[in-house]
Amino acid sequence: AVVSTQSTGYPGLAPKMSQNSQEKLDSALDLMRRMPTHNLSKHLGNLIDLCPNLTEELLSAVDQPLSVRKDDMKQKDFIVCDYNRDGESFRSPWSNIYYPYIEGYLPPIQLRAIEEELNDAFKVHLLNPALCFPCLTYDFTVFNVPNSKR
């Protein structure tokens, strides 16, 4: 699905963009709404090639189908999506490394430890489906720690 920055009111987009850039973004999103969805990623890539200055806004505003990448270090697949994206790279939850490699944002140590524990817990449920009922509920606490960089 494609959303418009005007209809959703992303607070950070409109003030930072010139009116000309906003009009280009709205036109690009309007065009994406009219394109066949089976080639959405290809169409989005073509739009980004045409308007590279709108890359972040387009990637944030257009919902793309989930895809999978391989973590070369751990030899495990992981889902790539907006939540683990930094530019055009994606952070693996298994090794905490970006593919293709960049020195991107890394979660704080406490949050990374929770991520690893949850990955282990979900792995147990995947390997033992009988343990999935009743489902467990996890309570996440937001840590107030500074961003860490590798």
Side-chain angles (χ1 to χ4, degrees), residues 3-10 13-14 17 22 25-26 29 33 57 61:
V3 295
S4 167
T5 57
Q6 289 179 343
S7 67
T8 59
Y10 291 141
L13 285 181
M17 298 179 75
Q22 183 66 46
L25 178 60
D26 288 341
L29 293 173
R33 273 187 220 92
E57 289 83 2

Side-chain angles (χ1 to χ4, degrees):
V2 179
V3 295
S4 167
T5 57
Q6 289 179 343
S7 67
T8 59
Y10 291 141
L13 285 181
K16 289 193 241 177
M17 298 179 75
S18 68
Q19 184 173 352
N20 187 31
S21 293
Q22 183 66 46
E23 288 172 2
K24 285 182 182 178
L25 178 60
D26 288 341
S27 296
L29 293 173
D30 188 47
L31 181 62
M32 284 299 297
R33 273 187 220 92
R34 299 168 194 276
M35 301 299 284
T37 57
H38 65 277
N39 284 332
L40 185 99
S41 296
K42 179 183 172 189
H43 299 314
L44 182 59
N46 290 339
L47 266 178
I48 289 170
D49 289 343
L50 287 172
C51 304
N53 59 322
L54 298 177
T55 299
E56 286 300 315
E57 289 83 2
L58 286 169
L59 289 173
S60 295
V62 178
D63 293 332
Q64 298 179 66
L66 294 177
S67 60
V68 176
R69 282 234 172 118
K70 181 80 137 188
D71 181 325
D72 296 332
M73 180 180 285
K74 298 289 185 173
Q75 294 300 308
K76 293 182 176 182
D77 292 334
F78 66 97
I79 295 172
V80 298
C81 64
D82 213 31
Y83 299 110
N84 62 349
R85 179 175 66 84
D86 192 348
E88 299 202 12
S89 294
F90 299 90
R91 187 182 68 83
S92 166
W94 307 116
S95 64
N96 209 28
I97 294 176
Y98 280 90
Y99 292 94
Y101 181 77
I102 61 167
E103 299 238 352
Y105 168 82
L106 295 175
I109 293 169
Q110 298 98 325
L111 189 57
R112 176 67 182 146
I114 291 171
E115 179 181 49
E116 289 174 325
E117 288 177 26
L118 288 174
N119 285 339
D120 289 341
F122 289 125
K123 181 172 53 177
V124 167
H125 288 293
L126 288 174
L127 297 174
N128 301 302
L131 296 177
C132 288
F133 187 79
C135 293
L136 298 175
T137 303
Y138 297 96
D139 181 22
F140 294 96
T141 303
V142 176
F143 292 95
N144 188 15
V145 293
N147 295 345
S148 61
K149 282 265 190 188
R150 181 175 268 238

